[in-house]
Amino acid sequence: MQFVKSKLPVVVTFGAAFIIVAQYYFNIPAWKTLAAEFLRWNVIIAAFALALGIGGIVKLHWGRISRRQPTAVYSAATLITLAIFLFVGLYETTRGKTYTWLYDFIYNPVAATSYATTFFFITSAAYRAFRIKNSYAAVLMISAILMMLQVGVFSVYLPVAPKIAAWVWNIPTTAGMRAVTIGAALSVVGNAFRVITGLERGHLGGGE
Amino acid sequence: MNAGVTVSFIVFALFVGVFYYSGARFKQTGKFSARKFEALGKMEEAIGRATEMGKPVHWSYGMGAFDAQYLAAFVLLEYAASLCAKYDTRMIVSIALPEVVPMTEEVIRKAYIEQGKLDTLHTEDVRFWGGSHNPAMIGTISREQVAGNFMIGSLFHESILSIEAAARYNAIQVMGTQNTHQLPFIAAGCDAIFIGAEMFAAAAQLEPTPVRVGSVWAADVLNVVFVGLMIIGALLVTAGNTSLKTLILK
């Protein structure tokens, strides 16, 4: 059991990653085909993990219902909806008439409404972000003003504004972004190397 | 053959060389120093405050696809979970990707076992929300009135939603990402942040092992090499010489 839980994932990770990395450096058609196949398997593995996720949702909401919490009615609605979509999807596939109707006329409007409410959060958050409460926020605010000056009426009455905005975008912003990207990319290489070689096993519930 | 493959391979080989050399050197000397990350201190402060207030803390990886940032986040999650276990504070985790659920459960379980508090672990607090992550996360933060809010990973606009929801309850907020398009917003809205590579380096500071120290050193050495190459390249191109550019693209 210990082998399956801790060693097998490392062996599988190393084997798959070796092929994917090697096909980038060496032009061997068989390895390229195998690498493409491994990347497709990723979708299948994620589908298995989805079952775990659904298990977690059922456990959480069933617990709330059985404890008769004040939010139990919402938990019941969640579980009933989950069951309906699961049953209809399995019965007539996700391209079926009923499933499509449920998706287009129940899920989509609800999702859109839910997403629309985030507008208020974004507006309020933007106000909070642009409020000068620390030096970072001050830099963000000044940069934002400079960027806004390049459009509309400002650019007509202040012809130098677009040039300043372009300079902010092309020089300090790009330099900063590239510094972060290069630094992070190198760290990603290190982290990936540790995981691929099995030197780091924190995500499997183990240490080094 | 892709352009730049030869140089890419050399860089990778150099990285592996420095990685093993630095790791072995650390094993011998035990010397490693890094500047203290404010965000780590803030995480502890947030969990301490949550303990005093009797409220939970919230954790999310954001909505981005599974990438190396998740691996960095797991180390920080383990740190936060250890503190939560130590102080008997609940940590609610909102997850968008199903494949992350078992890994998160394992990381948290390990932290609780190490603290000898496995019996206090609330497994139902690791919550998979899928596509409903954002509204569910806002709802969770609001209902539980969290005292601390952590978001580490591949962040997109959901970081602003999280910041806003938690700010209403004066939660201490710590976020980290290497997504440059979100960094300005989390810098302005949070109490402390991890910028790009800091997420990875923090792991070495939390637990300096040969593997982690080697990784940080290798990244730092190559950073210096790259900066040097950039300066030389800029000078050469200014002088009308493109030989370095041609060499790198081989």
Side-chain angles (χ1 to χ4, degrees), chain B residues 33 37 53 72 90 100 131 142 220 226 236:
Chain B
S33 67
F37 295 114
M53 295 169 77
R90 273 175 68 208
V100 179
S142 305
D220 274 2
F226 284 173
L236 285 175

Side-chain angles (χ1 to χ4, degrees), chain B residues 58-147:
Chain B
H58 176 260
W59 178 285
S60 170
Y61 304 101
M63 288 280 280
F66 188 84
D67 61 12
Q69 295 184 78
Y70 272 87
L71 299 172
F74 288 146
V75 178
L76 296 167
L77 172 70
E78 190 184 333
Y79 171 65
S82 292
L83 291 173
C84 286
K86 191 174 168 185
Y87 300 129
D88 290 323
T89 298
R90 273 175 68 208
M91 181 161 71
I92 302 165
V93 185
S94 294
I95 301 174
L97 301 180
E99 60 266 41
V100 179
V101 175
M103 289 184 249
T104 302
E105 286 177 344
E106 284 301 322
V107 169
I108 293 176
R109 188 181 300 278
K110 183 183 167 233
Y112 272 74
I113 288 171
E114 281 179 0
Q115 291 295 327
K117 295 279 187 74
L118 191 59
D119 52 322
T120 61
L121 175 65
H122 296 270
T123 49
E124 70 275 14
D125 282 342
V126 176
R127 300 173 185 179
F128 166 66
W129 299 122
S132 317
H133 174 273
N134 293 349
M137 173 185 70
I138 293 169
T140 302
I141 290 171
S142 305
R143 274 191 301 275
E144 303 281 355
Q145 300 190 3
V146 298

